[in-house]
Amino acid sequence: NAQQKLTHVVVPYPTIDDLTVDIAVYEHKGDKKNLLVILSGVHGVEGYVGSAVQLMFADKYLSKVNSDTGVALYHAFNPFGFHNNRRVNEKNIDCNRACIDDLTDFKADDEKLIAAFNAVYDFLTPEGLRRGGFEEFWKFYFGASKAILRHGYTTLKNAVASGQYQHPRSLFYGGNDLQKSVEIFREFIKCVTDGYQNVIVVDVHTGFGKIFRPGYFTHHEEISHSFERLRKAVPHLESASITRQKDRTFGVYRIKGSALEYAQKHSKAQNYYGFAIDFHTMHPIRMIRRMIAENQIFHYPDTPNKIKERVRRQFMQAFYPISSEWKEHMTHFAEDLIKRLSSEFDLIVTR
């Protein structure tokens, strides 16, 4: 009684004709108890790992899902970034800071964080052609040390990574209006979750942190039912809620305009459980350095080709390492996560 549907939604771009968001939905007729949604490519270049997780699930578990369980694989949330190996879309917008409906809400909420970001804007957004070499290398680390000493690591981390809405050419820019890819995702969530008792959304990312040890993050408050139930399946889950941030000195950070919170806002299911798995690849400082370099060559296309090739290669490896050992660890953790979720929510037939 299973029904399968594959949809390709074209996202129009002025210079590229065939960019699509690909959506595979697998449902049984009858009871709608659980819906598992796996997202990939919210940050475009991170979509390679997200796609690998989706394919692994489809290959090993899709045929075993229970008759009251649906599955939706949402591939390439940000198709421009995926196609061009960038985290952001064609407007330099970070789609995981841009999931916002109200145009008046495209702004940072914390004046302290706004001031801290403004103070390090020049460091994060260097002007002119990238030259490479030791001078640029030491200039970065000197600037990073200076910024940390001045603002403190926690404040600086939140100021940089939480999302900003005033500097279109810089990092973590959330834009100032609704993006087409966000609109597509909104309509998908409204449609696919209708009638379900529980929806579990897994947003797959890669990024900075201790290598070979993924992070698990949610916006749910630690005292909420959603957090408590997810924590049974994901023991190392951490809350990035506003309440949690008041007491944290290291680790997660609050994100505004995230896909997970947006999915909860528009979900039609009775209960919502959303979290991100972040497969770590390197230290935050090294990651930021590569992000700065990639952003710089994008805005200054006359940078020498040799330098652009090196920057792009290093940027790609920051989000999709070539290490076979890393890929094996990633696959292991992804499979373990699916088994734990299945055990808690009864997603897969185990006999």
Side-chain angles (χ1 to χ4, degrees), residues 191-220:
C191 179
V192 78
T193 59
D194 191 27
Y196 277 96
Q197 179 180 339
N198 304 309
V199 59
I200 304 102
V201 179
V202 183
D203 187 11
V204 182
H205 289 266
T206 56
F208 55 73
K210 189 171 183 179
I211 194 168
F212 301 135
R213 184 178 297 177
Y216 305 90
F217 311 111
T218 182
H219 62 284
H220 297 303

Side-chain angles (χ1 to χ4, degrees), residues 301-347:
D302 292 333
T303 298
N305 287 333
K306 185 177 181 179
I307 293 176
K308 286 196 291 188
E309 290 172 4
R310 182 174 69 249
V311 167
R312 287 170 180 156
R313 182 175 63 254
Q314 292 177 343
F315 182 78
M316 182 71 175
Q317 291 177 6
F319 294 99
Y320 185 43
I322 61 175
S323 164
S324 59
E325 183 182 9
W326 184 88
K327 292 177 182 178
E328 289 173 4
H329 275 78
M330 182 271 293
T331 302
H332 166 76
F333 281 114
E335 289 196 47
D336 182 66
L337 174 64
I338 295 301
K339 291 175 183 178
R340 288 177 177 274
L341 287 174
S342 177
S343 177
E344 174 60 29
F345 291 94
D346 194 25
L347 304 177

